[in-house]
Amino acid sequence: MTGPAISLLGIPLDANSSFLFGCAEGPDAIRAALRSESSNRASERSVDVLSVLDDVGDVDISNERGSYDDADAITRAVAAQLAADRRLITLGGDHSVTYPILRAFRDRYHDLTVVHIDAHPDIYDDLDGNPLSHASPFARALEDSCMNKLVQIGIRTATQHQVEQGERWDVTMIRPRELDRFDPSDLTGPIYFSIDLDGLDPSAAPGVSHHEPGGLTVREVLDVIDAIPGPIVGADVVELNPQRDLIDMTAMVAAKLTKELAGAMLATS
Ligand code: MN
Ligand code: MN
C-alpha cells in the first residue's frame, strides 16, 4: 500500500428504513462495482485510489429496527478506525448509520462541518416511533452536538416540520434550484461528507428506495466534492438498494463517488 490508508467499512443495516428494505445489500454491491474491470483504479485526479482503500470488512450487527446495540456497535467500529489515525469511508446501509458514525467523529474532532447530499433533510423529530429511523439521523446527531455546522444540498422534500427543525439548529438547506448558494469558502474545520444516493436524480441513481425526481447530476455532486476546502476526514455513501437497481448503474455511481471521495481526502490531507 502506498500513501496514507483510508479505511473502507461496510454497515449492512436496513432495519431503520421506512418504506422498503434492501440497503443491507449495499456494501457488497458497492465493493463489487469498485472491483469491476469495466473501469480502472484511478480517480479523476489520476491517483490510484483503490490501492489506498483498505477494506476492513463489515460491522457485526443484528440489523434489528431501532437497535441501540447496533448503533453502539457502529460507533465503536468507527471509533476504532479513528483511533488508528485512519480516514474513513463507510458504505451503507440506510441513512440511519450516519448518527452512530457521527458520535464517533464528535469524540475525535471538534468543529466538524457535515456536508450532506440528499433529497430529504432527515431531521424528523420522530417518524413511525423509531428514534433511530433513517428519516432522523441528523436530528439525533444535532441533539448530541455531533457537529458544528450542517450543510444540506439537494433537498427537495422538506416538510414544514423539517424546515422548522432546520431553523432550530441553523441548518443550511440548499435546494437543487439554488445550488449557486453553496459557498465552500464558508466551510471551516474538518469536513465530514454524507451522501444519500437519492440526492441524485433517479435517472442517474435508480437503485434507491425513495425515488425523488428533480435531483442532482453525478457531475454536480462531484463538483461539490471538488470544491470542499478540506480536510475531509470521513464520508459515507448510503441508501443503495441493489434490489431497485438497473444494470448495476447506481452501484457504479456509488463506487465512482467513493473513489472521488478518497481522491479528495488524499488531496486535502
Ligand atoms: Mn437520507
Ligand atoms: Mn434520502
Side-chain angles (χ1 to χ4, degrees):
M1 184 175 300
T2 58
I6 298 170
S7 296
L8 193 67
L9 178 70
I11 308 182
L13 187 154
D14 60 9
N16 292 317
S17 292
S18 57
F19 177 58
L20 295 173
F21 300 106
C23 290
E25 300 165 21
D28 280 347
I30 300 173
R31 289 182 174 109
L34 278 169
R35 288 194 300 265
S36 169
E37 292 184 3
S38 74
S39 185
N40 65 33
R41 304 166 62 89
S43 73
E44 293 192 2
R45 298 169 196 255
S46 299
V47 173
D48 176 355
V49 286
L50 289 197
S51 71
V52 177
L53 284 174
D54 179 19
D55 189 345
V56 297
D58 287 345
V59 183
D60 186 13
I61 49 170
S62 66
N63 196 24
E64 288 173 27
R65 183 179 189 270
S67 169
Y68 280 90
D69 286 344
D70 281 357
D72 290 346
I74 294 165
T75 302
R76 281 195 304 273
V78 171
Q81 296 303 318
L82 299 182
D85 277 333
R86 291 291 185 95
R87 295 194 179 188
L88 179 66
I89 300 177
T90 308
L91 307 177
D94 66 38
H95 217 157
S96 70
V97 302
T98 301
Y99 165 50
I101 291 170
L102 287 176
R103 290 194 303 194
F105 275 85
R106 171 198 60 197
D107 295 342
R108 180 86 182 175
Y109 294 100
H110 297 294
D111 300 329
L112 193 70
T113 292
V114 175
V115 179
H116 166 207
I117 306 284
D118 207 323
H120 314 92
D122 291 353
I123 49 177
Y124 277 107
D125 180 49
D126 176 72
L127 188 77
D128 303 331
N130 178 8
L132 297 179
S133 166
H134 75 155
S136 302
F138 295 95
R140 299 293 90 80
L142 287 158
E143 287 163 0
D144 280 7
S145 304
C146 291
M147 69 203 87
N148 187 43
K149 178 75 186 159
L150 176 61
V151 178
Q152 304 184 314
I153 303 171
I155 305 300
R156 53 197 186 278
T157 63
T159 62
Q160 195 56 44
H161 164 67
Q162 294 204 89
V163 169
E164 288 164 10
Q165 290 276 90
E167 288 167 353
R168 173 179 164 198
W169 284 299
D170 198 22
V171 175
T172 300
M173 207 181 276
I174 299 174
R175 277 78 171 173
R177 61 162 59 96
E178 39 183 32
L179 271 188
D180 56 356
R181 277 182 53 216
F182 174 59
D183 182 0
S185 68
D186 276 355
L187 306 182
T188 56
I191 308 287
Y192 183 91
F193 223 102
S194 183
I195 300 182
D196 180 330
L197 291 163
D198 69 32
L200 293 153
D201 192 79
S203 60
V208 296
S209 298
H210 302 263
H211 290 158
E212 194 63 44
L216 306 175
T217 67
V218 177
R219 180 51 53 189
E220 284 170 337
V221 176
L222 294 172
D223 286 348
V224 170
I225 295 171
D226 271 349
I228 299 298
I232 300 174
V233 293
D236 60 60
V237 179
V238 300
E239 293 283 343
L240 172 64
N241 185 342
Q243 297 175 16
R244 302 266 279 172
D245 208 359
L246 303 172
I247 55 171
D248 299 330
M249 72 190 264
T250 314
M252 289 305 293
V253 168
K256 167 82 173 176
L257 295 172
T258 300
K259 286 169 69 175
E260 296 307 319
L261 284 166
M265 281 182 178
L266 296 174
T268 62
S269 59

